[in-house]
Amino acid sequence: SQTSWVNVTDRNKKMIFDKIMPAGSEETVEGEPPFEVVVGNAPGSKLTFNDKPVDLAPYTKSSVARVTLE
């Protein structure tokens, strides 16, 4: 719902996605889990993993969420 920054690394620690996402945009990322995901402006963002929403609140500190998805 707001502009955010998203960074995703795969199981080999290879960056597979790094982008500023404008409000309302959507991207699909594929690779080998586990994924380390960093979301800037997490309160204004939504994350879905395997068609299920991910609650970023427990992983957010100073508006940045850091979560590992397997």
Side-chain angles (χ1 to χ4, degrees):
S1 61
Q2 299 176 5
T3 298
S4 61
W5 166 76
V6 181
N7 176 284
V8 181
T9 56
D10 67 8
R11 68 186 289 175
N12 299 314
K13 307 293 184 206
K14 179 182 175 189
M15 186 183 309
I16 58 173
F17 189 83
D18 186 38
K19 189 173 182 181
I20 295 174
M21 305 284 297
S25 64
E26 182 177 310
E27 291 278 348
T28 300
V29 178
E30 295 182 6
E32 293 290 325
F35 301 105
E36 292 181 18
V37 182
V38 180
V39 180
N41 190 20
S45 306
K46 293 180 184 175
L47 176 65
T48 304
F49 182 65
N50 289 335
D51 297 320
K52 295 179 181 145
V54 176
D55 181 9
L56 294 174
Y59 308 101
T60 302
K61 190 177 205 179
S62 299
S63 297
V64 177
R66 297 178 188 278
V67 61
T68 300
L69 302 173
E70 297 187 43

